[in-house]
Amino acid sequence: MKNESSMELSRDGIRQLSLTSEEISIVKKAFHCASKTLDEIVAPNLCEHLIDPNQDSYSCSGYHPLGGTLSSKYNKYREGFVFSNGEIFDLQTDSNDHFGDTMRETGSVLHSLAMKAVAEVESTLGLPANYIQDTYGKDVSLAHSSQWHLKRYSASAGHDDGDLALGVHTDPSILSVVVHDSPTLEPGGWGLQYSQKLDGPRTDSGISIEWNEPPYHGHGVATVMIGSAFARIMQVGDNVSKNEKVRQLRRLYPPCRHRVVMSTDATEHLGRQRMALTYFLRPSPLSILTPLPIFLELNVRQPRKKLTFGSWYKKVSSNYSRSRAKTKQNSSILVAVDSY
């Protein structure tokens, strides 16, 4: 991939990483396996490991059909598989007997990519190696508290160009990793767009932004985005400080506001339905979202209430369920949780 360093996690909370040849091979196999398996699911209600619509999205694992649940807005255009908290299930199909093994390998690759990005963040902030794992994964390792998806967007879901397949949101994670199903490296994000802050003074309506796509997508590149759980431990928005160093730190790793815009042209160009792997690196549910040490050293006032990740997740999930999602490109709603 050209110009990998041209995107950094700072400022807009997004960057891209190259995959090794071995990782590309595993990702390619995962997309092929999932696509064949989805094609064979002709009666969703009879599918083994069908996700119960009433199940908590935090810990669910299994298959969901197009539309997900009656209350889900995120899955209006997509179907696929969800793996939570290190759980891997197997599906026996006519075309494939190695679904579970393939998904297990894929989960390991995605976690490795996420931890590579975490190591970069730790180095930049002057944190000890493995600080994030040791602090926010004490009782359960991050590999067993995270969630990942392999989902396919349906060309028959009745969408129009410009519709939001995923509304504007930040992910409830430390960071998220996205890999798209394209054997070759293609320009843009196949509809994935992120909010980029523009240089210049604030306007009457706030900070000026524009929507851009990442430089590339495909099996050989992962898009990494900072999540809102990391913003919490960076104390973004907690209290205003006059200390310029504190202000700079809070701007260093902002949560990435992003969306997915449907594009028929992009789908027809690649000759396939849009398919993506998404990994949400999450703290363990009982871990306290403790602010980073540097804020303690700068004597920044700490939040009065110690909040666990599990409690925080429930709170933002509740905010999401009360929000009204829009479906057109001009939507400005920000939601903080990605329902399965």
Side-chain angles (χ1 to χ4, degrees):
M1 182 183 67
K2 299 178 182 178
N3 238 352
E4 177 181 318
S5 61
S6 64
M7 298 185 74
E8 298 179 357
L9 279 172
S10 59
R11 182 175 171 83
D12 297 306
I14 185 170
R15 74 156 297 173
Q16 294 196 303
L17 298 173
S18 296
L19 275 67
T20 66
S21 58
E22 182 179 359
E23 290 169 337
I24 290 172
S25 176
I26 293 172
V27 164
K28 180 180 179 179
K29 184 166 63 172
F31 282 123
H32 177 76
C33 174
S35 181
K36 290 290 186 182
T37 304
L38 289 171
D39 287 344
E40 292 185 20
I41 301 176
V42 293
N45 291 337
L46 299 179
C47 177
E48 189 181 5
H49 299 291
L50 179 68
I51 295 174
D52 184 338
N54 298 314
Q55 188 175 353
D56 180 10
S57 64
Y58 180 85
S59 57
C60 67
S61 292
Y63 162 77
H64 77 78
L66 193 65
T69 70
L70 293 177
S71 62
S72 174
K73 301 175 180 72
Y74 280 115
N75 294 311
K76 181 179 179 181
Y77 298 116
R78 59 183 185 166
E79 63 174 338
F81 307 107
V82 180
F83 305 88
S84 297
N85 305 326
E87 180 181 354
I88 299 293
F89 57 89
D90 200 8
L91 287 174
Q92 298 300 322
T93 65
D94 293 338
S95 62
N96 177 32
D97 294 324
H98 306 287
F99 180 93
D101 292 340
T102 299
M103 296 305 133
R104 188 171 291 104
E105 283 185 308
T106 305
S108 295
V109 166
L110 294 173
H111 183 72
S112 176
L113 289 167
M115 295 310 292
K116 180 179 179 181
V118 163
E120 177 185 309
V121 170
E122 290 172 336
S123 176
T124 300
L125 293 175
L127 297 170
N130 300 315
Y131 176 87
I132 299 295
Q133 168 62 62
D134 294 343
T135 305
Y136 305 108
K138 282 184 178 179
D139 56 319
V140 179
S141 71
L142 298 182
H144 290 89
S145 60
S146 298
Q147 184 180 85
W148 62 280
H149 306 168
L150 203 174
K151 299 193 179 183
R152 182 171 69 182
Y153 289 74
S154 174
S156 60
H159 63 77
D160 297 319
D161 277 4
D163 278 356
L164 290 185
L166 287 179
V168 180
H169 66 288
T170 61
D171 293 333
S173 59
I174 296 172
L175 54 79
S176 302
V177 178
V178 180
V179 181
H180 289 94
D181 182 22
S182 175
T184 58
L185 213 55
E186 299 286 340
W190 203 350
L192 174 63
Q193 298 179 346
Y194 67 96
S195 172
Q196 184 173 39
K197 296 176 183 177
L198 301 178
D199 293 327
R202 294 173 66 98
T203 64
D204 292 340
S205 58
I207 298 174
S208 296
I209 66 167
E210 66 179 12
W211 290 98
N212 289 320
E213 294 197 3
Y216 306 100
H217 70 271
H219 296 171
V221 60
T223 300
V224 179
M225 296 178 287
I226 292 292
S228 46
F230 193 74
R232 172 79 188 186
I233 62 179
M234 287 289 285
Q235 295 196 314
V236 174
D238 275 358
N239 48 67
V240 177
S241 174
K242 294 181 180 180
N243 185 316
E244 183 57 29
K245 186 171 183 179
V246 172
R247 292 161 68 94
Q248 289 176 355
L249 281 170
R250 288 179 176 167
R251 290 194 295 266
L252 188 57
Y253 290 111
C256 180
R257 299 175 73 244
H258 57 284
R259 64 188 185 183
V260 176
V261 179
M262 300 303 292
S263 173
T264 303
D265 289 343
T267 299
E268 290 178 348
H269 169 66
L270 291 171
R272 64 181 64 214
Q273 290 175 282
R274 188 182 191 275
M275 203 169 188
L277 283 160
T278 309
Y279 189 88
F280 304 97
L281 185 73
R282 308 188 299 193
S284 63
L286 297 180
S287 64
I288 304 295
L289 295 181
T290 310
L292 297 178
I294 192 165
F295 291 105
L296 300 175
E297 295 168 7
L298 293 170
N299 296 317
V300 175
R301 181 167 58 88
Q302 304 303 306
R304 294 180 182 178
K305 185 177 180 181
K306 296 189 181 209
L307 196 63
T308 65
F309 175 72
S311 298
W312 174 84
Y313 187 93
K314 287 182 179 179
K315 181 179 178 181
V316 297
S317 296
S318 176
N319 291 341
Y320 161 74
S321 65
R322 290 195 299 266
S323 71
R324 293 183 179 180
K326 297 181 181 179
T327 57
K328 289 296 180 182
Q329 195 168 359
N330 61 358
S331 169
S332 59
I333 288 178
L334 174 66
V335 295
V337 60
D338 186 359
S339 172
Y340 77 73

